[in-house]
RNA sequence: GCGGGCGUGGCGGAAUGGUAGACGCCGGGGACUUAAAAUCCCCUGAUCCUAUAGAUCGUGUGGGUUCGAGUCCCACCGCCCGCACCA
C-alpha cells in the first residue's frame, strides 16, 4: 500500500459511483433478512443543502449502513417536500416558474447529497410536486371525504388586501402583511377541514405507547391535544338570556363569586351594542399581545355589565363581567370564576373587590383559614359548600355533575384543545383539492379515473392573488354527476398533507394506487425517524393522524407511523460583526481570519467583534456552506465532524479547528491502514482484547445513537493500534477499525478495503464479530479508599475473593499511612472494583 | 406564570451510586527539517509543596441519604426549550 495521502477529491467520487453501479443501497422488500426502515425528515428544496441537513442525514446514514452490516435489509430513502410558498415567492421575485425553480433546486441538492456519499435508495426518490404523487394524494383525500373525515366550513383567515392572499399567522407582523406591509383583514372563507378531532382520544392514548420517542415530544403532543374533563352548564341571566359555561372544577361551584365572558363573546357584543363604555373596553382588550409572556404580564381587566347570573344551587345572582383573560375559542368562551381556587380569578377578584370564598381546605377545621395572597388550586376537602362539605375534590366533582345531569341543567363533558385541521390554502404551488362545485349537485369529488387533477403550467405571478382562481380556463369543467357546467375547487392542500404519508410511498410505489398495503406492511412502521425538534407537534401529529385515518378507512394496518423518533440538535457557530452606525454588519466565517485571541476581516485586516455561538442563520451570516467544506476536507471529514464531540441531541458548535482535527484523523487512519501487514504473525493479547471490547461498545453506542461515544472509542483503538508492534492481532485491529469506521467514513473505508484486498465493497461487508471470551479482563485495577477517599490503586486477578482483596488493600503502605493506626470498623469490598476501609 | 431539560477544565464533552475530567479541540515543550508544511513524542483542573514523591480542594449554591454522591432526595440560583391566562 502506498504512503501517499488519502485524496478525497479523487476517492469520494470513485466510490460514490461504485455504490451507484452496484446498486448497493436499493432496498429489496422480498428479502428474507430482518427489515430496517431508517428515515430522516425529507428536505424542502430551498436551493442548497445546509449544514443542518448534513448533520441529520449523516446520523441516519451511519445507522442505515450499520444495520446493513448487521445483516438487515435496510430501506433508507430520500425525496423532496417540494410544495410550498418559497417557490411562489421566487416566482414573484425572479419571474421563474415555481416548478422550474423547484426541480432545479432538487437537481442541485441531490448533487450535494451525492457528494456526501449517503447510502440512499435513490430508485425510490420522488418529489411531492410530481403529479403522480399528488394525484395519489388526491385519491386518498377523496377516500377520507367518503369516510366522512373531510368537511367544509366557514373559517376566518388573515387576508392581505394588496397581495390578495391568505397569510399564515407568522406572516402577519404587527397586524401587517410581511411582504406588502398592508393592514391585514380578517376574512371568512369556506375552507376544507380534516376531522382530526375524531381521533383526539386515540392520538392521546397512542402517545403512551411511543416509548422510543423523546419524553419532551410526547409531552408536547399531549399538551397540544389537551384533554380536560368537566361540567358544562348554563347560567340564567337577569336580562332573560342564558349563558353556557364550562368548568373543570365543578366541585368549587359554591366558591363562584362572579361570571366572566370573553371580549368577543356574543353576550359582550350585545352589551357593547348600546353601551359605548363596554365597546371601548372590548377595543382595549384586542390591543394586547398574544404571546404567553405578554399575556402573563398583562394586567387582569374587566368590565361590569350590570347583568346578573343566577347560581344554579344558591339562586344568588353573580355579577357578569367582560374580562380580558377569558378566551373565546376555548370551552364556551365564558367561565364561572372561583377566585379562591384559580389564580387568574383571584387576581381579578382582588382588583375589583369581589368576594374570595374558601371552598376547599386541607381539613374541615381549616374552613375559615384566610388565603395567603394567592389562590389554592391543590387537593383537599370541600368546605362552605352545602351538600359537598367533607367530600374530597374528586367525589365532589362527580356529585355536582350527577346533580346537574339529574336536574337537566348541565352535563359532564370532555373538552379538547385540539382543533380540526384546516387544509385549504389559497395558493398555486400545492396539491389541487380534487373537487368540483356544481350548482345542482353541490360539492362533487373528481372521479378517480380523472386523477391527477394537474396544476396548469401556464400561470403568471405578475398579478397578486391565486393564479388558479384567475386562470382563464383551468377551473372551468363539467359536473361528473349531472354533466352541467361546473367549477373546480381552486384551493390547494396544506403542505403538511404531503408530508403525512410520504413514508408510505417510499415503502411502496405502485403506479395505479398510492401504495400497496401488503408491501407497506413489510417495512412499516419506520424503525428510526430522525429530524428537527421544530416538527415535534404539527408534522408528527398530522402524520400520526393521517396514518390512523387511512387505517380507519381500511387502507392500512399500522396506526403509528414512527416507532422510534430522534430529534437532533442544531449546528451553531459564533457570529462576526461590526457596528456600522446604528446597524450591525455581519460577516461570514469564510471572510474572517480567526485566531485564538481574536478575529480580523480578511479584506482589511481590521478586527471584528466575536459574538455568541448561535444557530447558523443567513441573517447572522454565521453559516458554512457544506459544499465548501466538502471540497476542502472531503466528505468523510465532514461526516466525522458531524458525529464527533457533541451528543447528537444537543447543539453542535462548528469550528474550523474541529474540522481540521477531523481531516487529520482521516489521514491518520489512512496511514494506519497502510501498516496492515500480511506477513505479520503472532498474538498481541492486550490489543486483541481492546479490539473486541471496542467492537462490542461501538455497536452499542451506534444502536443508542451515541455517535460521539463511538467516535471516542475509535480514537482510542486507533492509538492502541498505532503503538502496537506488527502481529496478527494488530492486523485484526486495523481491519476491524476500518469496518467500524465504514458507516461513518465510507469513502476512506472503501479505499482502505480495496488496498487491503478486502472482498467486494466494504458497503456490503459484515460488522466484525465479537469474541465474548476476550471481553473479560483477567486483571483488574482495584481502587482502595479510606473513608471514601482514594488512597491507592492495586492490580488483582479478575474475580478475586473479597477476603483476598481486603488483605491486599490493607497491605498497602499508603493506606496504612492514611489509617494511621485507627480502629477499622468496617471494610466494604466491591468485587473487581474497590475496597473502602471505614475507621 | 406553567411544563420540560440542562449546569463537570480555556472549549465540546466522558463517567451501571464505586479511581471525576475518557476522547477531541485549544495551549505549552520537544524531535525530525537548511527552513516550512506534514508527522511523531511529552505536558496540560486549581492550590500547596521539602517537587520522579506527596497533600488539600474541586462537577452552579446550601442541606440531606450513604461506607462512598457529578449521579439519589429537598430547597435555592442560573441558563435553554416549549406553551395555552385553557376555566
Amino acid at each position: 500500500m502506498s504512503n501517499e495521502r488519502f485524496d478525497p477529491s479523487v476517492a469520494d467520487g470513485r466510490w460514490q459511483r461504485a455504490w451507484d453501479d452496484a446498486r448497493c443501497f436499493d432496498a429489496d422488500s422480498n428479502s428474507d433478512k430482518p427489515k430496517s426502515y431508517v428515515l430522516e425528515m425529507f428536505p424542502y428544496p430551498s436551493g442548497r443543502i445546509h449544514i443542518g441537513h448534513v448533520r441529520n442525514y449523516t446520523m441516519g446514514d451511519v445507522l442505515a449502513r450499520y444495520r446493513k452490516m448487521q445483516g438487515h435489509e435496510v430501506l433508507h430513502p430520500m425525496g423532496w417536500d417540494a410544495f410550498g410558498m418559497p417557490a411562489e415567492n421566487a416566482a414573484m421575485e425572479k419571474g421563474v416558474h415555481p416548478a422550474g425553480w423547484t426541480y432545479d433546486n432538487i437537481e442541485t441538492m441531490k448533487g450535494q447529497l451525492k457528494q456526501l456519499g449517503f447510502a440512499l435508495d435513490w430508485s425510490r426518490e420522488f418529489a411531492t410536486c410530481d403529479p403522480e404523487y399528488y394525484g395519489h394524494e388526491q385519491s386518498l383525500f377523496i377516500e377520507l371525504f367518503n369516510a366522512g373525515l373531510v368537511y367544509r366550513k366557514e373559517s376566518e383567515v388573515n387576508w392581505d388586501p394588496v397581495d390578495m392572499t391568505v397569510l399564515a399567522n407568522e406572516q402577519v407582523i404587527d397586524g401587517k402583511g410581511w411582504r406588502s406591509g398592508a393592514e391585514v383583514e380578517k376574512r371568512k372563507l369556506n375552507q376544507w377541514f380534516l376531522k382530526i378531532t375524531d381521533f383526539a382520544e386515540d392520538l392521546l392514548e397512542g402517545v403512551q405507547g411511543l416509548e422510543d420517542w423523546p419524553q419532551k415530544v410526547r409531552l408536547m403532543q399531549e399538551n397540544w391535544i389537551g384533554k380536560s374533563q368537566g361540567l358544562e352548564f348554563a347560567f340564567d341571566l337577569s336580562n332573560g338570556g342564558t349563558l353556557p359555561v364550562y368548568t373543570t372544577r365543578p366541585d368549587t361551584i359554591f366558591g363562584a363569586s362572579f361570571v366572566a365572558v370573553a371580549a368577543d363573546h356574543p353576550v359582550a357584543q350585545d352589551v357593547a351594542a348600546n353601551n359605548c363604555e363596554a365597546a371601548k373596553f372590548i377595543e382595549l382588550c384586542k390591543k394586547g399581545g398574544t404571546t404567553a409572556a405578554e399575556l402573563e404580564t398583562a394586567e387582569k381587566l374587566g368590565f361590569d355589565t350590570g347583568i346578573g347570573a343566577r347560581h344554579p344551587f344558591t339562586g344568588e345572582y353573580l355579577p357578569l363581567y367582560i374580562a380580558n383573560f377569558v378566551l373565546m375559542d376555548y370551552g364556551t368562551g365564558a367561565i364561572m370564576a372561583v377566585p379562591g381556587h384559580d389564580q387568574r380569578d383571584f387576581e381579578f377578584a382582588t382588583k375589583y373587590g369581589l368576594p374570595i370564598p374558601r371552598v376547599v381546605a386541607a381539613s374541615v377545621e381549616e374552613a375559615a383559614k384566610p388565603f395567603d395572597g394567592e389562590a389554592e388550586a391543590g387537593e383537599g376537602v370541600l368546605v362552605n359548600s352545602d351538600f359537598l362539605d367533607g367530600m374530597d375534590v374528586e367525589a365532589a366533582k362527580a356529585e355536582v355533575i350527577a346533580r346537574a345531569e339529574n336536574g337537566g341543567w348541565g352535563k359532564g363533558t370532555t373538552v379538547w384543545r385540539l382543533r380540526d385541521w384546516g387544509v385549504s390554502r389559497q395558493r398555486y404551488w400545492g396539491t389541487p383539492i380534487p373537487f368540483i362545485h356544481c350548482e345542482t349537485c353541490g360539492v362533487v369529488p373528481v372521479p378517480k379515473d380523472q386523477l391527477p387533477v394537474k396544476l396548469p403550467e401556464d400561470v403568471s405571478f405578475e398579478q397578486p392573488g391565486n393564479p388558479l382562481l384567475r386562470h382563464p380556463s383551468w377551473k372551468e369543467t363539467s359536473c361528473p354527476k349531472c354533466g352541467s357546467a361546473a367549477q373546480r375547487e381552486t384551493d390547494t392542500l396544506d403542505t403538511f398533507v404531503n408530508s403525512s404519508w410520504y413514508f408510505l410511498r417510499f415503502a411502496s410505489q405502485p403506479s395505479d394506487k398510492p401504495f400497496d398495503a401488503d408491501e407497506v406492511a413489510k417495512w412499516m412502521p419506520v424503525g428510526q425517524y430522525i429530524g428537527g425538534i421544530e416538527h415535534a407537534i404539527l408534522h408528527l401529529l398530522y402524520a400520526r393522524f393521517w396514518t390512523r385515518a387511512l387505517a380507519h378507512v381500511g387502507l392500512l394496518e399500522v396506526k403509528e407511523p414512527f416507532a422510534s423518533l430522534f430529534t437532533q440538535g442544531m449546528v451553531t457557530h459564533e457570529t462576526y460583526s461590526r457596528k456600522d452606525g446604528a446597524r450591525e454588519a455581519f460577516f461570514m466565517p469564510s471572510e474572517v481570519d480567526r485566531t485564538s485571541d481574536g478575529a480580523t476581516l480578511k479584506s482589511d485586516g481590521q478586527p471584528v467583534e466575536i459574538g455568541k455561538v448561535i444557530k447558523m442563520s443567513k441573517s447572522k451570516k454565521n453559516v458554512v456552506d457544506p459544499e465548501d467544506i466538502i471540497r476542502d476536507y472531503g466528505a468523510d471529514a465532514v461526516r466525522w465532524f458531524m458525529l464527533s464531540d457533541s451528543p447528537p441531541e444537543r447543539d453542535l458548535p462548528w469550528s474550523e479547528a474541529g474540522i481540521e482535527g477531523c481531516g487529520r484523523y482521516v489521514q491518520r487512519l489512512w496511514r494506519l491502514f497502510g501498516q496492515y501487514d500480511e506477513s505479520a504473525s503472532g498474538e498481541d493479547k492486550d490489543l486483541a482484547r481492546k479490539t473486541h471490547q471496542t467492537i462490542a461498545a461501538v455497536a452499542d453506542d451506534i444502536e443508542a445513537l451515541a455517535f460521539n461515544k463511538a467516535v471516542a472509542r475509535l480514537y482510542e483503538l486507533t492509538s492502541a493500534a498505532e503503538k502496537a508492534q506488527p502481529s496478527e492481532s494488530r492486523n485484526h485491529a486495523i481491519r476491524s477499525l476500518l469496518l467500524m469506521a465504514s458507516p461513518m467514513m465510507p469513502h476512506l473505508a472503501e479505499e482502505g478495503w480495496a488496498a487491503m484486498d478486502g472482498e467486494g465493497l466494504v458497503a456490503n461487508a459484515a460488522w466484525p464479530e465479537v469474541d465474548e471470551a476476550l471481553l473479560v479482563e483477567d486483571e483488574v485495577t482495584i481502587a482502595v479508599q479510606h473513608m471514601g477517599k482514594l488512597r491507592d490503586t492495586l492490580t488483582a486477578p479478575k474475580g478475586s475473593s473479597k477476603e483476598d482483596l481486603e488483605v491486599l488493600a490493607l497491605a498497602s503502605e499508603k493506606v496504612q499511612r492514611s489509617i494511621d493506626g485507627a480502629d477499622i470498623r468496617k471494610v466494604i469490598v466491591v468485587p473487581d472494583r474497590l475496597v473502602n476501609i471505614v475507621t
Side-chain angles (χ1 to χ4, degrees), chain A residues 25-347:
Chain A
F25 309 119
D26 285 10
D28 175 8
S29 53
N30 295 318
S31 163
D32 296 334
K33 297 175 184 174
K35 304 244 180 0
S36 267
Y37 190 172
V38 178
L39 183 67
E40 299 99 58
M41 293 179 185
F42 66 163
Y44 178 78
S46 56
R48 297 178 70 75
I49 293 291
H50 59 70
I51 200 92
H53 293 128
V54 177
R55 192 177 189 202
N56 190 178
Y57 301 147
T58 300
M59 289 179 193
D61 200 53
V62 171
L63 190 68
R65 285 175 177 269
Y66 166 79
R67 288 268 158 81
K68 184 170 161 68
M69 293 181 85
Q70 292 283 12
H72 289 228
E73 186 67 26
V74 175
L75 174 56
H76 186 218
M78 182 55 69
W80 309 93
D81 187 14
F83 275 135
M85 290 198 305
E88 287 192 50
N89 294 338
M92 283 183 269
E93 280 160 19
K94 298 172 193 156
V96 294
H97 193 280
W101 182 84
T102 301
Y103 283 107
D104 283 352
N105 288 346
I106 288 174
E107 201 186 326
T108 305
M109 292 170 76
K110 185 175 176 181
Q112 292 183 306
L113 290 182
K114 290 238 171 192
Q115 285 179 39
L116 283 154
F118 292 134
L120 292 164
D121 181 352
W122 286 105
S123 73
R124 294 172 188 247
E125 176 195 8
F126 60 82
T128 56
C129 63
D130 295 343
E132 189 183 356
Y133 182 81
Y134 70 68
H136 291 309
E137 185 166 297
Q138 289 166 339
S139 81
L140 292 175
F141 190 72
I142 291 167
E143 291 280 352
L144 300 189
F145 175 84
N146 291 337
L149 293 173
V150 174
Y151 67 99
R152 303 177 78 218
K153 73 170 179 192
E154 283 251 300
S155 167
E156 216 168 55
V157 295
N158 302 308
W159 181 257
D160 185 321
V162 172
D163 279 351
M164 288 173 57
T165 186
V166 174
L167 300 176
N169 284 332
E170 55 270 25
Q171 295 174 315
V172 181
I173 296 151
D174 295 333
K176 297 189 171 65
W178 68 304
R179 179 186 297 277
S180 68
E183 197 81 29
V184 170
E185 299 167 9
K186 292 279 179 199
R187 232 189 225 204
K188 291 234 172 185
L189 292 179
N190 226 330
Q191 307 228 66
W192 294 84
F193 284 84
L194 284 170
K195 275 194 187 166
I196 190 172
T197 52
D198 275 11
F199 294 81
E201 188 84 62
D202 195 35
L203 285 165
L204 184 64
E205 277 172 16
V207 172
Q208 301 301 317
L210 297 173
E211 283 162 19
D212 292 325
W213 281 39
Q215 190 57 36
K216 178 182 184 161
V217 176
R218 292 168 59 180
L219 239 143
M220 283 162 77
Q221 294 237 333
E222 282 174 359
N223 291 341
W224 191 262
I225 296 166
K227 182 180 187 175
S228 78
Q229 281 167 309
L231 171 69
E232 188 174 332
F233 68 99
F235 282 105
D236 292 327
L237 301 182
S238 59
N239 66 0
T242 59
L243 176 68
V245 299
Y246 170 73
T247 178
T248 55
R249 290 295 302 273
D251 54 304
T252 61
I253 195 163
F254 286 95
S257 66
F258 65 100
V259 172
V261 297
D264 36 4
H265 192 281
V267 168
Q269 300 294 332
D270 284 353
V271 172
N274 33 42
N275 180 334
C276 62
E277 286 299 313
K280 269 191 211 161
F281 178 76
I282 290 170
E283 277 310 303
L284 182 70
C285 288
K286 287 185 177 170
K287 279 195 180 139
T290 52
T291 69
E294 284 170 312
L295 292 169
E296 174 222 319
T297 47
E299 196 183 356
K300 302 279 177 288
L301 294 175
F303 180 86
D304 188 348
T305 61
I307 301 170
R310 189 173 175 275
H311 191 285
F313 288 117
T314 66
E316 188 189 344
Y317 277 90
L318 306 174
L320 172 64
Y321 280 81
I322 302 168
N324 66 344
F325 68 93
V326 180
L327 304 175
M328 188 58 217
D329 56 3
Y330 183 80
T332 61
I335 61 161
M336 76 168 198
V338 184
H341 306 283
D342 181 284
Q343 184 59 24
R344 293 153 302 168
D345 299 350
F346 187 94
E347 287 169 30

